[in-house]
């Protein structure tokens, strides 16, 4: 089921490579000349660490490569390396990401611009290798910027963008790039790898400035603050996240100038939405069955389109509302769950509902949960979803149930 | 192979006597620790020994919460908080960051001391795995200093794996039915780390009652190259319930009774030092009751408890393969049911 995707013309000097999403990330990391990286095994993200290890072993990257004894240490080590001025990379999947939770918590308030890759994976128990987005989503309130990508090319480009955005002094917050386990981490595609010269033009060196921990700059970082100051510090975090909106727009504009590719709209991909009556939404590689299904439905005259959110934090509220308000009904497919949440919906559906609350035009919104644990989202699922949305569009209202796709009842 | 590898970048000679110790202070006013807090003294001596070209990372605990408050930090050198179980990772990450930047010419190459400290809760319990890992990464120069006040002091004095047998803590209060709530023998942290990390070049135990010795061990740990570990023994007036004026004396008594042995393990060679050396050579130890009965945390001890404690300390010196350091027994013992 081939999807019509625009082929990216190779720019002069670029190399075309057949590589997986994880390998594409490693290409970006070598181009970004990272300084310290920490590894710990868990599938499926660990393929990126294997790819980096090969690069270092073969002299394609000079960096401290530390095999940690657990994810807690894995994230703490790079956090500290970043505070002395090193560009760092880390990552994990599923319960590994949860094991690092304390360290994930402290990284944003320390204003550490770490870039991490999450190879999204179902949480235990029971054990499952396949994708679910609950791992990365767990940090959504803590000051991490979160982005989902759906191709190896987008992974490479986003990794370069991520350093540029995170290390911008106006932001100084960590970024987690989510890649669906197996579907993206392990699937190969043709990727245009840019030259180092172009990357150097796009990506300045990390400069920690007066926050650098060094004997020449004897500062105290994170002293005990208590109620005297904590709310101001939280507010500063919030302002950094707010400033990220501008920084992200700027970075993508520059990216397009330097590399001659990249989306005009950094925040989400729109596919056949111009005249769409029904807009389906889903993050990550679920875009593949959705796009195929949409094309098939279009052939039958059904006006369906797709919005695939990239940035989940910061959330592009106004832009998203403007894009969704055009539709007569919206169907959100969450590859995650939030037990006991309003309407028992997934995280994305409820975020979109919240964003739409004050909108002048609020199309009916249907909430779906599907593809958990890496379960295939089939074309039948897509058609069923769209049909329910069309029915809601006609009725002018949606039910408030959350529909689980393809579940054995 | 008879050699050891080194990546030492500096030599910090030991201070030859207290009069030769630098007068500069890098841990000054501003901390809010209890009167008589030996851990605060350890901080002061530690950084005096290391000097100004040092980065200090401090794990959560009294030496963070009571010690380093926003706007009143006592640290003159760069200082950063790290998580309770992260002293090993903090030392490693900081050292790795410096190394990468110096290697790539983005930072002036020079010896910068990296010291991460932790309490007994943070180091001997929660962060033990991370410390262990760091001690295997021999290419990074850093020191982990565990200040042992024998409880989770900051959270209100709770039993840790480093709390002595029988001590009254808020998690082990003596009651009318159970007199001894904490029946675990104290972990042998320094010995275990020395034995378990054959490429770690330096592990030592120190006691701030012997300040010059203590500072010189820090200087050696920072000079020798690679990751190193120091365990300091810190009387804590609040947690142990004694008059603050006795801190220094209790530090001495712990050594003189043989409860806390002073030793260093350098490239695998064990050396007892100070008063511990005399004990290891067979000089009589003071009875443990002289130490225990000065502290409220042992006030509920019966004669039987005191005897038990004494017998366990006797074993350290009479039965262990390497007295006071490695608890491998020379002979097999009969097993009897738990009391
Ligand atoms: C992950 C985590 N769990 C629990 C705590 C609560 N806590 C703060 S300080 C502290 C005591 C630490 O004890 P120790 O390392 O011995 O240092 P001390 O307070 O005795 O100086 C604890 C348990 C914490 N900060 N982090
Ligand atoms: S409780 Fe103990 S370790 Fe903590 S500040 Fe007081 S004396 Fe020092
Ligand atoms: Mg303690």
């Amino acid at each position: 089921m081939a999807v019509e995707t625009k082929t990216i013309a190779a720019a002069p000097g670029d190399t075309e490579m057949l590589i997986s999403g994880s390998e594409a990330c490693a290409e970006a990391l070598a181009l970004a000349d990272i300084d310290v990286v920490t590894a710990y095994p868990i599938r499926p993200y660990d393929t990126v660490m294997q790819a980096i290890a090969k690069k270092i072993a073969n002299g394609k990257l000079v960096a401290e490569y530390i095999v940690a004894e657990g994810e807690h240490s894995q994230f703490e080590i790079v956090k500290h390396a970043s505070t002395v001025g090193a560009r760092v990379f880390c990552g994990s999947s599923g319960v590994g990401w949860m094991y690092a939770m304390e360290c994930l918590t402290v990284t944003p308030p320390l204003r550490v611009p770490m870039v991490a890759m999450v190879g999204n994976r179902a949480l235990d128990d029971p054990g499952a290798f396949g994708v679910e987005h609950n791992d990365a989503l767990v940090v959504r309130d803590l000051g991490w910027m979160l982005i989902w990508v759906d191709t190896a090319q987008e992974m490479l480009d986003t990794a370069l963008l991520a350093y540029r955005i995170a290390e911008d002094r106006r932001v100084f917050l960590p970024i987690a790039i989510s890649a669906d386990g197996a579907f993206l981490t392990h699937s190969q595609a043709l990727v245009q790898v840019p030259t180092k010269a172009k990357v150097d033009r796009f990506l300045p060196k990390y400069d920690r400035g007066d926050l650098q921990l060094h004997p020449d700059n004897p500062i105290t970082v994170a002293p005990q603050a208590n109620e005297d100051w904590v709310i101001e510090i939280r507010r500063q975090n919030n302002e950094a996240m707010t400033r990220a909106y501008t920084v992200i727009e700027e970075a993508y504009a520059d990216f397009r100038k330097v590399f001659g590719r990249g989306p005009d709209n950094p925040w989400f991909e729109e596919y056949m939405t111009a005249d769409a009556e029904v807009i389906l939404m889903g993050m990550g590689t679920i875009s593949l069955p959705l796009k195929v299904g949409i094309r098939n439905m279009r052939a039958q005259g059904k006006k369906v389109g797709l919005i695939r959110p990239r940035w989940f934090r910061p959330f592009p509220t106004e832009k998203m509302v403007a894009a969704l308000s055009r539709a007569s009904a919206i169907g959100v497919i969450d590859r995650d769950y939030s037990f006991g949440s309003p309407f028992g919906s997934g995280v994305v559906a409820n975020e979109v509902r919240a964003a739409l609350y004050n909108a002048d035009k609020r199309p009916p919104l249907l909430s779906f949960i599907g593809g958990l644990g890496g379960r295939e989202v089939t074309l039948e699922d897509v058609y069923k979803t769209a049909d329910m949305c069309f029915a809601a569009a006609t009725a002018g209202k949606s039910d408030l149930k959350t529909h689980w796709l393809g579940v054995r009842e | 192979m008879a050699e050891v590898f080194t990546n030492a970048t500096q030599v910090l000679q030991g201070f030859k006597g207290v009069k030769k110790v630098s007068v500069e202070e890098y841990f000054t006013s501003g901390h809010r620790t209890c009167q008589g807090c030996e851990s605060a003294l350890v901080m002061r001596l530690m950084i005096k020994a290391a000097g100004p070209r040092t980065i200090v990372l401090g794990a959560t605990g009294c030496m963070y919460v009571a010690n380093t408050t926003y706007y009143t930090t006592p640290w003159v050198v760069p200082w950063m908080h790290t998580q309770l179980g992260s002293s090993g990772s903090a030392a490693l990450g900081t050292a790795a960051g410096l190394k990468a930047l110096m290697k790539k010419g983005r930072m002036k190459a020079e010896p910068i001391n990296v010291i991460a400290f932790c309490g007994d809760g943070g180091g001997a319990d929660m962060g033990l795995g991370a410390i262990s890992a760091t001690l295997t990464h021999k290419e990074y120069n850093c020191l982990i200093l565990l200040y042992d006040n024998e409880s989770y002091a900051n959270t209100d004095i709770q039993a840790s794996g480093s709390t002595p047998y029988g001590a009254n803590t808020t998690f082990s209060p003596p009651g009318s039915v159970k007199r001894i709530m904490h029946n675990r023998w104290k972990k042998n942290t320094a010995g275990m780390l020395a034995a378990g990390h054959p490429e770690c070049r330096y592990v030592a135990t120190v006691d701030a009652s012997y300040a010059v010795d203590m500072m010189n061990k820090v200087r050696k740990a920072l000079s020798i190259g690679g990751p190193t570990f120091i365990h300091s023994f810190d009387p804590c007036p609040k947690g142990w319930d004694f008059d603050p004026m006795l801190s220094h004396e209790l530090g001495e008594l712990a050594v003189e009774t043989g409860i806390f042995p002073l030793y260093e393990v350098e490239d695998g060679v064990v050396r007892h030092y100070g008063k511990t050396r005399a004990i290891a050579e067979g000089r009589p130890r003071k009875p443990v009751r002289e130490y225990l009965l000065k502290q409220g945390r042992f006030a509920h001890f019966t004669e039987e408890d005191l005897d038990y404690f004494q017998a366990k300390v006797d074993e350290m010196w009479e039965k262990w393969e390497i007295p006071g350091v490695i608890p491998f027994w020379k002979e097999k013992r009969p097993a009897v049911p738990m009391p």
Side-chain angles (χ1 to χ4, degrees):
Chain A
M1 52 178 196
V3 176
E4 186 187 36
T5 42
K6 275 179 252 153
T7 31
I8 298 154
D14 285 7
T15 319
E16 192 173 67
M17 296 173 84
L18 180 65
I19 47 179
S20 69
S22 289
E23 287 164 338
C25 187
E27 290 300 326
L29 299 172
L31 288 165
D33 188 26
I34 57 167
D35 300 314
V36 180
V37 52
T38 47
Y40 190 82
I42 186 167
R43 276 185 278 209
Y45 110 97
D46 54 1
T47 40
V48 70
M49 293 303 174
Q50 294 164 8
I52 299 167
K54 274 193 204 148
K55 288 218 170 284
I56 292 174
N58 295 323
K60 307 272 190 241
L61 168 65
V62 177
E64 304 302 309
Y65 185 92
I66 296 173
V67 180
E69 97 297 349
E71 289 86 354
H72 189 281
S73 295
Q74 197 193 352
F75 280 80
E76 282 291 87
I77 292 166
V78 282
K79 179 193 93 182
H80 282 282
S82 177
T83 64
V84 298
R87 176 171 286 165
V88 301
F89 178 75
C90 202
S92 197
S93 288
V95 290
W97 181 253
M98 306 305 263
Y99 195 78
M101 192 64 202
E102 181 190 28
C103 318
L104 300 176
T105 310
V106 294
T107 300
L110 287 169
R111 308 301 293 278
V112 165
M114 178 190 301
V115 173
M117 176 180 139
V118 184
N120 300 120
R121 170 176 171 171
L123 301 171
D124 292 356
D125 262 341
F129 292 128
V131 52
E132 271 174 22
H133 293 161
N134 280 81
D135 50 6
L137 283 172
V138 78
V139 298
R140 70 183 190 266
D141 301 328
L142 302 180
W144 277 81
M145 293 185 271
L146 295 177
I147 181 165
W148 265 260
V149 297
D150 78 337
T151 61
Q153 184 73 56
E154 196 173 48
M155 170 54 88
L156 184 147
D157 294 353
T158 303
L160 296 174
L161 280 155
Y163 283 106
R164 164 84 182 248
I165 296 160
E167 292 173 1
D168 190 301
R169 180 64 197 251
R170 291 168 290 176
V171 179
F172 266 18
L173 289 173
I175 296 185
I177 308 172
S178 275
D180 285 354
F183 295 134
L184 180 50
T185 53
H186 286 63
S187 303
Q188 291 185 325
L190 284 177
V191 175
Q192 306 301 328
V193 182
T195 60
K196 178 90 175 88
K198 271 193 233 169
V199 172
D200 287 346
R201 202 143 50 88
F202 173 71
L203 185 60
K205 294 256 176 284
Y206 171 37
D207 177 6
R208 193 146 177 83
D210 58 3
L211 293 182
Q212 185 186 26
L213 205 60
H214 187 277
D216 292 341
N217 186 42
I219 52 172
T220 296
V221 178
Q224 177 85 8
N226 295 339
E227 73 282 6
D228 279 354
W229 285 104
V230 164
I231 194 167
E232 281 76 16
I233 292 165
R234 300 285 180 255
R235 176 63 174 263
Q236 286 180 336
N237 253 244
N238 189 54
E239 283 172 12
M241 186 63 91
T242 308
R243 286 193 293 270
Y245 287 105
T246 314
V247 174
I248 288 173
E249 296 270 4
E250 282 175 15
Y252 277 77
D254 241 33
F255 189 92
R256 289 191 299 272
K257 256 188 249 157
V258 175
F259 298 97
R261 62 161 183 269
D264 291 332
N265 173 0
W267 308 102
F268 46 86
E269 180 189 356
E270 294 196 53
Y271 182 77
M272 296 192 176
T273 50
D275 62 344
E277 287 162 22
V278 164
I279 292 181
L280 301 179
M281 281 182 80
M283 301 202 296
T285 57
I286 200 171
S287 59
L288 185 71
L290 286 172
K291 284 179 179 174
V292 174
I294 286 169
R295 283 215 323 280
N296 293 348
M297 288 186 282
R298 286 261 169 190
Q300 298 163 9
K302 292 184 182 169
K303 290 185 175 165
V304 194
L306 164 72
I307 286 185
R308 173 180 66 89
R310 291 191 189 91
W311 289 93
F312 188 79
R313 286 288 182 274
F315 192 86
T317 315
E318 284 96 32
K319 289 203 168 59
M320 187 69 85
V321 167
L324 291 174
S325 292
R326 300 193 310 252
S328 307
I330 306 161
V332 181
I333 307 177
D334 269 281
R335 205 160 209 159
D336 62 81
Y337 47 84
S338 178
F339 302 130
S341 70
F343 315 110
S345 294
V347 173
V348 182
N350 276 336
E351 291 277 314
V352 173
R353 279 194 184 111
L356 284 170
Y357 185 79
N358 286 326
D360 295 333
K361 183 164 176 276
R362 258 177 300 169
L365 185 149
L366 280 84
S367 159
F368 301 89
I369 287 177
L372 297 190
R375 176 80 61 90
E376 186 186 354
V377 176
T378 64
L379 289 179
E380 292 311 317
D381 293 333
V382 178
Y383 302 146
K384 184 177 146 198
T385 309
D387 285 344
M388 289 169 72
C389 289
F390 277 112
T394 311
K397 63 177 189 272
S398 48
D399 61 30
L400 293 175
K401 277 194 288 207
T402 295
H403 307 273
W404 287 59
L405 298 175
V407 173
R408 286 188 292 262
E409 302 277 3
Chain B
M1 196 165 66
E3 305 86 18
V4 291
F5 292 112
T6 177
N7 51 344
T9 56
Q10 63 178 345
V11 179
L12 299 173
Q13 296 289 356
F15 298 123
K16 293 199 167 59
V18 71
K19 290 190 180 141
K20 303 284 187 213
V21 174
S22 125
V23 294
E24 296 302 334
E25 297 290 351
Y26 306 103
F27 176 87
T28 61
S29 57
H31 63 91
R32 305 182 305 178
T33 55
C34 310
Q35 194 179 27
C37 172
E38 285 289 283
S39 296
L41 180 63
V42 165
M43 297 293 120
R44 178 174 158 225
L45 299 176
M46 170 190 89
I47 192 60
K48 207 185 230 312
R53 303 304 284 174
T54 303
I55 297 175
V56 179
L57 298 320
T60 323
C62 273
M63 292 304 106
Y64 169 54
V65 179
N67 212 351
T68 309
T69 308
Y70 193 30
Y71 277 154
T72 70
T73 171
W75 294 99
V76 175
V77 294
W79 188 95
M80 179 176 170
H81 175 226
T82 193
Q83 294 313 107
L84 182 54
S86 294
S87 56
S89 307
L92 187 57
T94 305
L98 294 174
K99 184 167 185 170
L101 294 172
M102 289 181 192
K103 207 193 288 182
K104 293 184 181 184
R106 297 222 306 280
M107 182 185 280
K108 188 180 142 223
E110 61 167 321
I112 294 178
N113 304 314
V114 175
I115 306 179
F117 67 73
C118 55
D120 49 303
D125 282 351
M126 187 182 268
L128 191 59
I131 294 173
S132 167
T134 295
L135 295 183
T136 65
H137 286 280
K138 60 177 180 252
E139 65 272 50
Y140 301 111
N141 294 347
C142 55
L143 163 64
I144 297 157
L145 186 143
L146 187 157
Y147 68 92
D148 186 359
N149 51 23
E150 298 196 319
S151 80
Y152 289 91
N154 180 61
T155 33
D156 247 359
I157 321 296
Q158 290 93 358
S160 80
S162 206
T163 299
Y165 171 85
N168 178 352
T169 72
T170 57
F171 279 0
S172 56
S176 54
V177 174
K178 281 191 93 166
R179 190 179 67 258
I180 302 291
M181 283 281 281
H182 177 68
N183 62 5
R184 301 185 280 156
W185 195 254
K186 183 181 169 81
K187 272 191 199 181
N188 179 29
T189 306
M192 130 171 69
L193 292 174
H197 303 89
E199 286 192 317
C200 165
R201 296 198 59 203
Y202 192 73
V203 170
T205 62
V206 299
D207 181 328
S209 296
Y210 309 98
V212 177
D213 258 337
M214 189 234 141
M215 284 188 279
N216 288 343
K217 301 287 180 281
V218 169
R219 287 170 75 80
K220 199 188 243 186
L222 291 171
S223 308
I224 197 163
T228 52
F229 179 81
I230 290 181
H231 183 165
S232 81
F233 183 84
D234 305 1
C236 160
K238 179 180 163 193
W240 303 7
D241 188 12
F242 63 82
D243 189 317
M245 75 175 186
L246 293 179
S247 295
H248 182 91
E249 190 183 332
L250 280 171
E252 289 181 336
L253 276 171
V255 173
E256 289 165 351
T257 52
I259 291 173
F260 190 79
L262 295 176
Y263 59 88
E264 55 182 1
V265 185
E266 185 178 343
D267 291 327
V269 179
V270 180
R271 196 177 73 88
H272 294 101
Y273 73 91
K275 293 200 174 154
T276 302
R277 176 134 51 135
I279 291 173
E281 284 165 359
R283 209 87 61 82
R285 287 170 271 121
K286 287 190 176 166
V288 296
R289 61 194 302 134
E290 281 189 32
Y291 167 78
L292 298 176
L293 294 180
K294 286 197 166 59
Q295 305 169 51
R297 61 177 171 161
F298 301 113
H300 56 293
F301 266 28
T302 59
E303 280 303 317
E304 202 184 309
D305 298 330
L306 292 167
D307 289 346
Y308 176 78
F309 206 108
Q310 183 66 60
K312 293 285 279 187
V313 173
D314 291 348
E315 286 171 358
M316 286 170 61
W317 296 102
E318 291 157 17
K319 308 286 186 184
W320 289 13
E321 285 274 8
I322 303 180
V325 183
I326 301 293
F328 295 164
W329 277 53
K330 296 179 210 158
E331 73 228 36
K332 200 163 156 37
R333 287 166 283 173
V336 295
M338 284 253 283

